[in-house]
Amino acid sequence: MIRSSMRTHPSGFARAMGEIGDGWMLLTLWSSLNGITRFEEMLQELGVARNILADRLRRLVEIGMLERRPVGPNSKRYEYVPTARALTLHEPLRQFETWGERECPREPELSGT
């Protein structure tokens, strides 16, 4: 749900950030746009806490960015598939990733010595 303080903001960027500006929301959406659609796969890919991922997936379904579908008939497992609305963000998010690769170099991981 879009934050009420952002609903009337004149900037489309501000309204968009109010709706999906949370980092875990964007990373979860990005994963689904790149073919990672099952909960357990997302947990492993993102390294996020189970409750955080469950909340972000629920919210992305609520705002029409993902569709929750059973994996098969009579299945208790679900996948989260990007909607047409979400697909409109694929190219801008890919460009954002390219910018991050260029402008935000990865720091080396600290060894446990």
Side-chain angles (χ1 to χ4, degrees):
M1 161 112 35
I2 192 168
R3 292 183 188 110
S4 60
S5 62
M6 297 295 213
R7 290 176 195 248
T8 59
H9 199 283
S11 167
F13 187 84
R15 292 189 306 273
M17 291 302 292
E19 184 150 336
I20 58 168
D22 172 274
W24 288 120
M25 290 271 284
L26 286 170
L27 284 170
T28 302
L29 180 59
W30 181 243
S31 291
S32 71
L33 286 167
N34 286 290
I36 301 170
T37 60
R38 295 191 184 178
F39 187 88
E40 295 297 327
E41 293 172 338
M42 286 184 188
L43 271 178
Q44 185 174 10
E45 173 76 14
L46 299 174
V48 63
R50 186 174 282 279
N51 63 321
I52 299 290
L53 180 57
D55 178 68
R56 296 325 187 265
L57 287 168
R58 179 188 53 77
R59 289 172 50 196
L60 286 164
V61 169
E62 283 176 1
I63 64 172
M65 299 300 278
L66 296 178
E67 181 181 332
R68 183 176 182 243
R69 296 182 189 165
V71 172
N74 303 317
S75 178
K76 293 183 181 181
R77 294 180 183 254
Y78 293 88
E79 62 181 349
Y80 295 87
V81 181
T83 63
R85 183 178 189 216
L87 292 173
T88 65
L89 273 176
H90 193 245
E91 182 59 23
L93 291 177
R94 188 190 64 72
Q95 290 175 1
F96 191 65
E97 179 185 45
T98 299
W99 178 85
E101 292 291 334
R102 185 181 63 243
E103 300 295 332
C104 307
R106 185 176 182 181
E107 294 182 9
E109 294 183 32
L110 299 175
S111 62
T113 57

